[in-house]
């Protein structure tokens, strides 16, 4: 029987330099997308996929992320006294009861692969998910929230083979992502297909496709062993992509293409786009945004 995905690693140790000065004193993961921090959207996505243990890989100066998911007794007490039940609900129940939040430190910025390896002792030889909080996966409005990640987990449940979520990106963007080689095969949305190779941030001429790995992974624990012997790759960092390229030769790896809107909140334009996209899903805000765009001011 295929082991269930209970644990998710969410690396949050990045400095957020692309978002400075906004991130000088505030972790980038706590910048709001519409009405809540980006990290809350991502944690909820993990939980919707069946995850019950969240492991933040963090660093000094980013304690506010853990605080966001912890109780804030004074605030809760004051809101309760004032009868502000609705707001109280959003503050109190950031994650449902029974969800456990852990954190582990990454003291050196040695790359995504290294960040994942920092959580090894909490992963207990179980398969796990990795969700990168820069990326907001906004599923089509007609679907349940967080459909794409849940589909990724389902594909694991069916096969026991590691899964990565991919989406087509513009040719000039391939050098910013891990790129999947599907052996010339065209991926169909939500059909999990074998990956032939993975390459981290290739130049356009070396890119095997324009299918980018978007920061959502469901992986067997074997990848941790592989990460232990992965040497620094692109940017001098230990790349998760490189360990996955090894994994696929040993036991296969599948890609699942999503048709969700992907917003890279790690840069200013992507962050703004994410805010507008999520805001447009709220009826009241939608009419305000539409009026602004229709006014002569813009
Ligand atoms: C990381 C991964 C890359 C992936 C990307 C998704 O890169 O290394 O493979 O495609 O996230 O956002 P980073 O954006 O951290 O440089």
């Amino acid at each position: 029987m295929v082991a269930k995905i209970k644990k998710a690693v969410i690396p949050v140790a990045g400095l957020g330099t692309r978002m400075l000065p906004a991130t000088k004193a505030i972790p980038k993961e706590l910048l709001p997308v519409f009405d809540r921090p980006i990290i809350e959207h991502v944690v909820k996505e993990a939980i919707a996929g069946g995850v019950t243990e969240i492991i933040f890989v963090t660093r000094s100066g980013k304690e506010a992320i853990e605080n966001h998911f912890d109780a804030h007794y004074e605030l809760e007490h004051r809101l309760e006294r004032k009868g502000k039940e609705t707001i109280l609900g959003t503050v109190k129940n950031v994650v449902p009861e029974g969800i456990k939040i852990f954190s582990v430190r990454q003291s050196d910025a040695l790359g995504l692969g290294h960040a994942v390896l920092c959580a090894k002792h909490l992963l207990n030889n179980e398969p796990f998910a990795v969700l990168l909080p820069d990326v907001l996966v906004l599923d089509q409005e007609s679907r349940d929230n967080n459909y794409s990640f849940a589909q990724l987990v389902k594909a694991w449940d069916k096969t026991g083979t590691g899964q990565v979520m991919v989406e087509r990106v513009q040719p000039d963007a391939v050098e910013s992502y891990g790129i999947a080689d599907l052996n010339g095969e065209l991926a169909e949305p939500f059909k999990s297909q074998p990956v032939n190779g993975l390459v981290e941030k290739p130049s356009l001429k070396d890119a095997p496709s324009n299918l980018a790995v978007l920061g959502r992974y469901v992986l067997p624990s074997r990848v941790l062993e592989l990460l232990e012997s992965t040497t620094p790759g692109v940017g001098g960092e230990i790349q998760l992509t490189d360990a996955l390229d090894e994994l696929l030769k040993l036991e296969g790896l599948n890609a699942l293409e999503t048709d969700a809107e992907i917003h890279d909140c790690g840069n200013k334009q992507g962050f703004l786009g994410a805010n507008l996209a999520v805001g447009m899903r709220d009826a009241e805000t939608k009419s305000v945004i539409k009026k602004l765009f229709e006014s002569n001011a813009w």
Side-chain angles (χ1 to χ4, degrees):
M1 219 182 85
V2 177
K4 289 274 178 207
I5 302 297
K6 297 270 165 238
K7 301 173 195 252
V9 177
I10 305 190
V12 295
L15 285 173
T17 43
R18 287 184 296 162
M19 292 297 281
L20 283 167
T23 48
K24 185 180 170 194
I26 299 167
K28 62 176 174 170
E29 297 80 6
L30 289 183
L31 296 176
V33 168
F34 187 47
D35 61 350
R36 63 202 63 220
I38 169 83
I39 189 73
E40 192 180 318
H41 290 280
V42 175
V43 165
K44 290 199 159 141
E45 182 185 348
I47 294 169
V51 163
T52 54
E53 291 178 34
I54 304 286
I55 304 167
F56 292 131
V57 181
T58 186
R59 55 172 284 133
S60 62
K62 302 194 87 170
E63 298 78 7
I65 296 173
E66 289 141 88
N67 293 346
H68 181 75
F69 292 92
D70 205 347
H72 188 321
Y73 293 117
E74 187 191 342
L75 182 63
E76 288 169 23
H77 177 66
R78 280 173 191 265
L79 290 171
E80 217 167 276
R81 251 192 8 210
K82 289 190 174 165
K84 304 210 168 196
E85 296 300 327
T86 313
I87 308 177
L88 179 63
T90 65
V91 168
K92 221 175 168 176
N93 308 314
V94 176
V95 290
E97 226 172 284
I99 302 296
K100 295 188 186 125
I101 308 259
F102 301 93
S103 62
V104 57
R105 296 279 177 127
Q106 182 187 23
S107 42
D108 252 335
L110 298 179
L112 176 59
H114 177 258
V116 171
L117 205 47
C118 289
K120 185 179 178 212
H121 61 292
L122 296 175
L123 291 169
N124 217 9
N125 295 323
E126 291 170 43
F128 60 98
V130 178
L131 294 94
L132 305 188
D134 274 353
V135 179
L136 185 80
V137 177
L138 199 55
D139 278 302
Q140 307 251 332
E141 275 190 280
S142 56
R143 296 207 175 96
D144 287 347
N145 265 349
N146 307 321
Y147 178 84
S148 295
F149 178 67
Q151 290 303 306
L152 202 69
V153 175
K154 269 196 187 149
W156 161 269
D157 287 343
K158 270 195 207 148
T159 59
T161 300
Q163 307 284 329
V164 294
M165 196 187 291
V166 296
E167 193 180 67
R168 278 157 221 281
V169 295
Q170 293 299 320
D172 61 353
V174 296
E175 60 184 29
S176 304
Y177 294 101
I179 300 292
D181 176 1
L182 295 190
N183 213 3
E185 289 284 321
L186 284 181
E188 286 171 33
F190 303 110
K191 186 176 168 211
S192 174
Q193 292 183 204
V195 180
N196 202 38
L198 275 179
V199 43
E200 179 70 7
K201 302 191 174 81
S203 64
L204 181 55
K205 74 173 174 33
D206 294 329
S209 76
N210 65 339
L211 285 166
V213 177
L214 287 163
R216 298 294 182 270
Y217 311 78
V218 174
L219 301 172
S221 67
R222 189 172 192 181
V223 76
L224 297 168
E225 278 164 44
L226 297 171
L227 277 169
E228 272 168 336
S229 54
T230 300
T231 50
V234 171
E237 296 185 340
I238 296 171
Q239 298 291 350
L240 180 59
T241 302
D242 293 344
L244 295 183
D245 192 49
E246 284 306 309
L247 178 77
L248 68 88
K249 289 171 198 147
L250 298 170
E251 57 178 77
L253 181 77
N254 281 14
L256 184 132
E257 188 182 10
T258 175
D259 61 2
E261 274 176 46
I262 304 295
H263 297 276
D264 185 348
C265 299
N267 68 69
K268 292 170 190 177
Q269 292 76 19
F271 174 73
L272 192 59
N275 268 285
L276 284 173
V278 179
M280 287 296 278
R281 293 187 175 198
D282 174 79
E284 203 184 324
T285 311
K286 182 175 181 172
S287 73
V288 173
I289 297 173
K290 280 181 95 176
K291 270 190 203 134
L292 270 173
F293 274 101
E294 283 157 13
S295 74
N296 289 333
W298 288 3

